[in-house]
Amino acid sequence: MRTPLNTKKGLFASTIHVTMIILLNVAVSFLSQLLIAYYFGTNTSRDAYFSAVVIPTYITAVFTGSFVVVFLPELVSLLEKDLNEAVTFASTIILLSAVLMSIIALLGILFSDNIISVTSYGFNEIQLKLSSHLLKILLPTVIFQSLTGLFASVYQAHHKFIVATIAPVFSPMVVIAILFFFVNDFGIETLAVGSLLGSILPAVFLFVGLLRSKKFAFMFDIRNNSIRHVLITSSPLFVTGILYRLTGVFERMIASNLLSGSISFLGYANQLSTTLGTIITGGIATTIFPHMAQAWAANDKQQFYRYITRGITIVFLSCFPIIALVLALGEPIIQIVFERGAFSHSSTQAVALTFQILMGSFLFSSLGGITIKALYVMSKTKTVAFIAVTEIIIYLLIGFWLSAEYSYKGLATALSVSAGVNIVLCIVILFFHRGQKGLSVIGSNVWKIIIAALIEFVLCRVVLIALPNETTLFLKVAISSLVGVAAYFYLTVFVLNVDEAHLFREKIVRLYHNLFGFANTKS
């Protein structure tokens, strides 16, 4: 048996280490997005790519949201009992998944024309052909991305968070290299090939590590009771995930019939929102998930709910300064980052507005990194399925209505509203049997966080307007952001005393003593 990591400092330290690697991944991914925006902007070929890539993204999300999330808690439970049985279980699931995803990818390639004609019905004939061609290149990524998710879960179950987190860094590196050397010759096809090769490298990297550490073996035992449990438990998630995960597909479908560039506006804004979500929840969600599973397996309900409460508080604490920043400085930030090459000023305005609307989705999706995983650990898969179906129904109803009136902005609004409903339902269900205790702890911190974020927003706007006109846009945004974010963290850490914020204070104090204490000792 392994010793659980139950202390706040242990969880916080793991979160910090993983978050640092995630930041590296985000930085490299962001660089790749800058190159993509420079070369393709929001033109029709970029629309075609967004329409094609949503299909493998959807397939991978369905798989990850069903098999992978159920796989990890079961593996953690087995590791507490029998290591050999755990290896057999993991190996069987991995091999079974490889076969399944290969069949799905092959079928998708054979019927790519039919798929695109349905999911992008608003495209003209040229766009349909291009999108179908790109889809054929991209579909094999579902095999490698799905396996990477399973491989990473094995590492996480063994508390090897660093290796599991560093593997995805290879993907954007490959994309950058392929774009740099071949984009002028092959255009948008270069991006599709780069994405495919970028999905292969992390899978190979993690797989070799599993083989060397003997955490995987070429064995297959479908009769294993744990295999049956995962298949049975994940089945309702898989079935409902087919509907629930269609949000992105429906978005592209509706947007294909809107003005040219709408798919790209939504695509860029969603990518930015997802990137921020990865920064905020990637560390805490990655480290807290196996610990929640371990606490639940040990029947330590108090510790389990303590993890949930702390995770939600950390997400709120981390999300609100970003939300305030984007609402206050969204357009100048997008202008500085993207507006060059094929990315025009009109694209900047459209993407910035869409990005600001998606801040609701950003917050709720980040919270979902904690709440949904908690429900998975509790094996409430039917509950998750119900919430998921409710979310997609709300999105479709609001999306069709608002897109007719407000085009792509209506779709962004629908996404934020439906994600909000999802989280409200999750939190109500999670704390239904715990009374008001857990919610009161969260609520007592949230209002403090909101006050600090409002002050940050006002300061950012005031400083941006007050700075002299001759100041460069970059310097204006940098100074405004620095003042606003500094005020937010000072208020939450030293004035309002938000729970979990004191951990940041401890880190600052420790860093101060390490730096100046070392200097004094040396002198």
Side-chain angles (χ1 to χ4, degrees), residues 3-286:
T3 302
L5 180 58
N6 287 330
T7 64
K8 285 187 175 184
K9 290 183 179 179
L11 178 61
F12 186 76
S14 298
T15 300
I16 289 295
H17 296 153
V18 171
T19 300
M20 294 303 295
I21 298 175
I22 288 174
L23 286 174
L24 172 63
N25 184 20
V26 167
V28 181
S29 298
F30 194 65
L31 179 59
S32 71
Q33 292 305 314
L34 290 181
L35 284 176
I36 293 167
Y38 176 83
Y39 286 120
F40 305 110
T42 57
N43 59 27
T44 54
S45 66
R46 187 67 169 124
D47 279 354
Y49 180 86
F50 273 124
S51 291
V53 76
V54 76
I55 305 301
T57 300
Y58 161 69
I59 295 171
T60 304
V62 171
F63 178 82
T64 304
S66 55
F67 289 111
V68 176
V69 295
V70 177
F71 167 74
L72 177 56
E74 187 69 21
L75 180 58
V76 169
S77 179
L78 287 175
L79 285 170
E80 297 292 329
K81 303 171 185 175
D82 189 327
L83 178 61
N84 291 330
E85 185 179 352
V87 171
T88 302
F89 163 74
S91 302
T92 302
I93 288 290
I94 289 170
L95 291 173
L96 187 65
S97 300
V99 173
L100 174 64
M101 300 311 289
S102 297
I103 293 172
I104 291 173
L106 179 60
L107 290 174
I109 291 172
L110 293 175
F111 296 99
S112 62
D113 291 342
N114 307 83
I115 295 171
I116 291 297
S117 65
V118 173
T119 59
S120 304
Y121 69 93
F123 277 178
N124 59 41
E125 187 176 347
I126 295 175
Q127 286 178 301
L128 287 172
K129 287 183 178 179
L130 175 58
S131 191
S132 176
H133 175 63
L134 295 173
L135 178 59
K136 291 175 182 177
I137 300 173
L138 290 166
L139 271 168
T141 61
V142 303
I143 304 169
F144 303 104
Q145 289 175 350
S146 299
L147 290 177
T148 297
L150 289 171
F151 296 156
S153 294
V154 176
Y155 282 100
Q156 291 168 15
H158 289 272
H159 292 173
K160 304 295 183 181
F161 302 114
I162 304 299
V163 178
T165 310
I166 203 169
V169 178
F170 298 131
S171 295
M173 287 181 176
V174 172
V175 172
I176 291 171
I178 297 296
L179 281 174
F180 184 79
F181 288 106
F182 301 106
V183 69
N184 291 327
D185 296 321
F186 300 101
I188 196 70
E189 289 176 297
T190 312
L191 180 56
V193 173
S195 297
L196 173 58
L197 296 178
S199 70
I200 296 173
L201 192 55
V204 172
F205 171 76
L206 292 176
F207 181 62
V208 170
L210 290 180
L211 282 177
R212 288 181 175 177
S213 61
K214 297 182 180 179
K215 295 181 176 67
F216 172 86
F218 287 96
M219 56 179 65
F220 192 87
D221 183 11
I222 196 66
R223 297 169 298 177
N224 187 291
N225 289 330
S226 295
I227 301 292
R228 294 197 194 98
H229 179 260
V230 167
L231 292 176
I232 293 171
T233 305
S234 62
S235 293
L237 290 177
F238 181 78
V239 173
T240 54
I242 292 174
L243 176 61
Y244 163 58
R245 303 288 176 177
L246 280 170
T247 301
V249 178
F250 281 134
E251 178 189 273
R252 302 293 196 268
M253 184 185 298
I254 298 170
S256 70
N257 207 34
L258 301 176
L259 60 90
S260 179
S262 293
I263 293 178
S264 293
F265 302 152
L266 289 162
Y268 280 114
N270 272 311
Q271 285 181 337
L272 287 171
S273 178
T274 301
T275 298
L276 289 177
T278 302
I279 296 173
I280 297 304
T281 63
I284 183 63
T286 298

